[in-house]
Amino acid sequence: MFGIDIGLSYFKRWAPGAARYMDGAPTVLISDGEVDFRAFHRARVSLDDVLTAARQNQGLERLEQIKSAVLEADGAVSIIPVS
């Protein structure tokens, strides 16, 4: 396992495009209050998942309180509230 991990890290350094494919990239789910349902579908995330993250991380209760939501490469959902 250790050898495979080192081999993949060298491969990702040699081919940066492969690193993005292997590690993933952040996906914008909500931008300026507008929900991108295609992004939700591609990421296999539900609106309830985002609302749960908003309640847990920011204390937000409604969709109108979310300015932006991003699904990070590690699977976490980052929420930016409306100011």
Side-chain angles (χ1 to χ4, degrees):
M1 290 293 270
F2 184 70
I4 292 172
D5 186 44
I6 291 180
L8 287 174
S9 68
Y10 280 117
F11 178 71
K12 289 191 288 187
R13 188 179 309 161
W14 177 71
R20 183 177 210 172
Y21 179 74
M22 293 167 66
D23 294 336
T27 303
V28 177
L29 301 171
I30 300 174
S31 178
D32 292 326
E34 296 293 321
V35 178
D36 184 354
F37 290 106
R38 294 172 89 192
F40 273 90
H41 182 72
R42 283 192 311 267
R44 296 185 182 106
V45 176
S46 71
L47 189 56
D48 289 336
D49 295 332
V50 172
L51 291 173
T52 299
R55 280 192 305 275
Q56 291 175 345
N57 299 335
Q58 299 288 331
L60 304 177
E61 298 175 351
R62 297 184 321 273
L63 182 61
E64 296 81 27
Q65 296 173 307
I66 300 173
K67 179 179 180 183
S68 297
V70 179
L71 178 65
E72 303 294 347
D74 65 355
V77 178
S78 298
I79 304 291
I80 301 169
V82 174
S83 38

